[in-house]
């Protein structure tokens, strides 16, 4: 293994001889210079892994040397060592992108800790993270098999995502495979939990979680106050893991007041789940209340064309006073820019609802476009694409603007997605819907172990197109394929992100409330 090579610049380098001897005994190579010019010369000609710079040197100061070295190779960690504890110097050092800051006199343990932090950090984190997950693996396995309730499943899913985000930084593929297997096991048992309890949540709502159609009444409307506006952002198709990574960006500007979760109704599809959120009604209730607006699977036309009408109706039903509100749907970059440029006009409303469709479009694009499939070829890459979009989106610009004003911000979604891997054959009449994760139709023929079946749709508050209609939902990471052209469909859809069925990823939904810092 190549020894770590350190450049140390200090005009009193002779007084640091004990430190340098200790480092060399520990296996480090150290080159010493006593001024900034020599440091620059050495840095230009040799491949250093770390640099220590004295702040107060004759000629080029430590900060001046730092700026030159950064312009040559900004990836090498640089540590400023100084007697000066003035705040202005610290701010200048941070502004110059110093990697660390040590106050003289430094002791050997400080030096060793700093070196390990920058040169062995990845290895140490990998070893500790891998060891910690191995210790947690057994505990998680026991929890998953412990007859969890809906709250327990939320906590367990969040733990699985914590480990997924931690392990994705490791180079040990074995740990990823173990976690993937454990998530699959969890989804299998979660599907059985949903089969056993889902319909009962409608007949006995006090026994279950907050569902899509209850979200506004139970969570959003109690947060609205006449004194200041509330902005409700729904980012379509945003899973909990995707929210976790964009939350790190959001909390640079906002204080996270509440992190919560609710459950999406079935099917976990925009037509059902998002309409339920804005109407405050189940799909069956929407069909009855809005016979001219509700669109069933076999109806032509858009399935989410009337959310604004549904929202206005819900607000009037629940509140005895008028709530001044707005509804905006953002489908394109230009529409996102328009929102940002006119956001001040919304400040007069008590409630502003904004729906962003990018993540949904990303999941569909990944299915349809080979280039996107290459860019998002696994869960980590899919999250990375979501983060990249968010960091460069007008949505973030809008949130930054709101952070400067006294508003409450809510961020959530309507359903998640799961990366499907295993095909499941199904046969149905020609009028059976096309979704890969759920089917509604007559005389469906399927593999019983692969699906959650609802034979009486009204029991689950779902419309029934005819007397023999049945809903079946794919479990785990399965997806439905017709026997005709089986191999072609398997090749095309395997590894794509789909929604509509039963899984932790699709059903357990992030809900976050933020206030300005």
């Amino acid at each position: 293994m190549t020894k770590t090579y350190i450049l140390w610049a200090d005009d009193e380098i002779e007084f640091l001889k004990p430190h340098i001897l200790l480092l060399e005994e520990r296996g480090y190579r150290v080159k010493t210079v006593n001024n900034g010019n020599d440091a620059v010369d050495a840095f230009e000609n040799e491949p250093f892994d770390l640099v220590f710079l004295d702040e107060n040197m004759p000629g080029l100061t430590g900060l001046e040397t730092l700026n030159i070295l950064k312009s040559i190779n900004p990836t090498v960690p640089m540590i400023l060592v100084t007697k000066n504890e003035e705040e202005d110097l610290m701010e200048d050092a941070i502004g110059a992108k110093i990697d660390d800051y040590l106050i003289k006199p430094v002791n050997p343990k400080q030096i060793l800790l700093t070196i390990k932090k920058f040169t062995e950090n990845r290895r140490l984190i990998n070893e500790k993270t891998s060891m910690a997950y191995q210790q947690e693996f057994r505990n998680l396995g026991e929890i998953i098999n412990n007859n969890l309730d809906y709250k327990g499943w939320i906590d367990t899913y969040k733990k699985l995502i914590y480990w997924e985000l931690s392990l994705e930084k490791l180079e040990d593929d074995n740990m990823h495979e173990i976690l993937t297997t454990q998530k699959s096991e969890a989804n299998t048992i979660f599907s059985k939990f949903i089969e056993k309890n889902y319909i009962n949540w409608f007949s006995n709502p006090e026994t279950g979680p907050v569902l899509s159609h209850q979200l506004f009444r139970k969570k959003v409307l109690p947060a609205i106050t006449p004194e200041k506006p509330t902005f409700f952002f729904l980012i379509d198709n945003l899973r909990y893991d995707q929210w976790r990574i964009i939350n790190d960006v959001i909390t640079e500007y906002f204080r996270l007041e509440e992190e919560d979760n609710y459950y999406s109704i079935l099917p976990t599809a925009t037509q059902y789940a998002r309409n339920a959120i804005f109407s405050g009604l189940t799909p069956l209730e929407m069909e009855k209340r809005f016979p001219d607006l509700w669109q069933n699977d076999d109806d032509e036309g858009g399935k989410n064309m009337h959310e604004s009408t549904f929202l206005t109706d819900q607000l009037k039903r629940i509140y005895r006073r008028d709530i001044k509100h707005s509804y905006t749907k953002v489908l394109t970059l230009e529409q996102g820019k328009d929102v940002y440029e006119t956001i001040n006009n919304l400040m007069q409303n008590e409630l502003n609802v904004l729906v962003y469709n990018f993540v949904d479009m990303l999941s569909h694009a990944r299915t349809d476009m080979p280039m996107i499939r290459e860019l998002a070829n696994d869960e980590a890459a899919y999250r990375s694409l979501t983060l990249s979009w968010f960091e460069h989106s007008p949505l973030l610009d809008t949130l930054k603007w709101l952070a400067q004003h006294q508003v409450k911000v809510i961020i959530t979604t309507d359903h998640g997605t799961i990366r499907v891997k295993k095909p499941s054959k199904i046969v149905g009449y020609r009028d059976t819907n096309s979704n890969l994760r759920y089917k509604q139709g007559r005389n469906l023929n399927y593999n019983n172990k692969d699906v959650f079946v609802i034979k009486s749709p009204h029991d689950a508050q779902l419309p029934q197109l005819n007397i023999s209609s049945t809903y079946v939902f794919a479990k785990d990471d399965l997806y439905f394929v017709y026997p005709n052209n089986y191999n072609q469909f398997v090749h095309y859809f395997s590894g794509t992100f789909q929604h509509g069925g039963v899984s932790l990823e699709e059903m357990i939904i992030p809900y976050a409330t933020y206030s300005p810092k």
Side-chain angles (χ1 to χ4, degrees), residues 123-134:
R123 177 184 64 79
L124 294 171
I125 289 176
N126 285 355
E127 290 176 358
K128 296 295 182 184
T129 303
S130 179
M131 187 180 301
Y133 175 64
Q134 290 177 56

Side-chain angles (χ1 to χ4, degrees), residues 230-247:
T230 295
F231 282 76
F232 177 92
F233 292 89
L234 189 148
I235 305 174
D236 190 27
N237 230 356
L238 186 78
R239 301 190 314 198
Y240 175 74
D241 59 326
Q242 293 169 302
W243 169 77
R244 280 282 304 272
I245 60 168
I246 70 169
N247 178 64

Side-chain angles (χ1 to χ4, degrees), residues 187-332:
N187 262 324
T188 299
I189 300 172
F190 177 73
S191 297
K192 294 176 182 176
F193 164 77
I194 292 296
E195 284 184 282
K196 181 179 179 181
N197 294 281
Y198 183 73
I199 289 176
N200 186 56
W201 291 344
F202 292 95
S203 56
N204 299 286
E206 69 282 353
T207 66
V210 174
L211 297 172
S212 304
H213 63 290
Q214 302 165 327
L215 183 67
F216 253 76
R217 178 169 55 85
K218 291 190 173 184
K219 299 291 295 180
V220 180
L221 296 184
I224 299 173
T225 61
E227 293 79 27
K228 58 183 179 180
T230 295
F231 282 76
F232 177 92
F233 292 89
L234 189 148
I235 305 174
D236 190 27
N237 230 356
L238 186 78
R239 301 190 314 198
Y240 175 74
D241 59 326
Q242 293 169 302
W243 169 77
R244 280 282 304 272
I245 60 168
I246 70 169
N247 178 64
D248 291 341
V249 180
I250 297 169
T251 49
E252 293 179 21
Y253 309 98
F254 286 90
R255 180 175 292 106
L256 178 62
E257 280 192 352
E258 179 188 23
E259 176 192 337
D260 203 355
N261 298 85
Y262 75 96
Y263 276 60
S264 171
I265 62 167
L266 295 172
T268 49
T270 305
Q271 168 193 354
Y272 292 88
R274 199 162 81 196
N275 279 329
I277 290 171
F278 292 127
S279 68
L281 303 170
T282 65
L284 181 61
E285 291 169 338
M286 277 185 277
E287 183 189 47
K288 292 178 179 178
R289 186 172 179 85
F290 300 101
D292 297 330
L293 300 182
W294 169 255
Q295 298 279 299
N296 280 307
D297 283 317
D298 61 348
D299 293 326
E300 294 185 2
K303 305 294 195 271
N304 289 83
M305 306 295 290
H306 306 289
E307 293 166 355
S308 179
T309 301
F310 292 156
L311 174 64
T312 300
D313 179 74
Q314 178 178 192
L315 294 176
K316 287 181 179 178
R317 285 200 323 269
I318 295 176
Y319 266 74
R320 294 183 178 178
R321 64 178 181 83
D322 288 334
I323 294 180
K324 193 172 183 182
H325 67 281
S326 70
Y327 172 88
T328 306
K329 186 182 292 187
V330 178
L331 300 173
T332 66

Side-chain angles (χ1 to χ4, degrees), residues 361-370 372-373 436 492-493 495-498:
M361 290 188 288
L362 175 61
S363 68
H364 291 301
R366 194 199 173 281
T367 300
D368 299 331
M369 297 175 63
I372 301 296
R373 291 182 79 145
L436 297 186
Y492 187 75
F493 289 108
T496 62
F497 290 88
Q498 303 292 336

Side-chain angles (χ1 to χ4, degrees), residues 6 36 60-61 79 82 153 161 199 218 229 237 240 275 283 287 300 346 349 362 412 443 467 490 493:
I6 299 166
L60 291 176
T61 66
I79 294 89
T82 180
W153 275 114
I161 294 301
I199 289 176
K218 291 190 173 184
N237 230 356
Y240 175 74
N275 279 329
E287 183 189 47
E300 294 185 2
L346 302 180
N349 299 324
L362 175 61
T412 189
N443 298 325
I467 196 167
V490 168
F493 289 108

Side-chain angles (χ1 to χ4, degrees), residues 106-119:
V106 291
N107 63 55
K109 288 185 178 179
Q110 279 181 290
I111 298 297
L112 280 172
L113 179 61
T114 299
I115 294 171
K116 285 181 179 293
K117 181 166 70 172
F118 288 103
T119 64

Side-chain angles (χ1 to χ4, degrees), residues 7-11 13 31 33-36 39 52-54 57:
L7 173 63
W8 198 327
D10 193 306
D11 63 326
I13 199 72
K31 182 179 183 69
V33 295
N34 58 17
N35 62 75
F52 286 105
L53 289 171
D54 179 31
M57 293 186 292

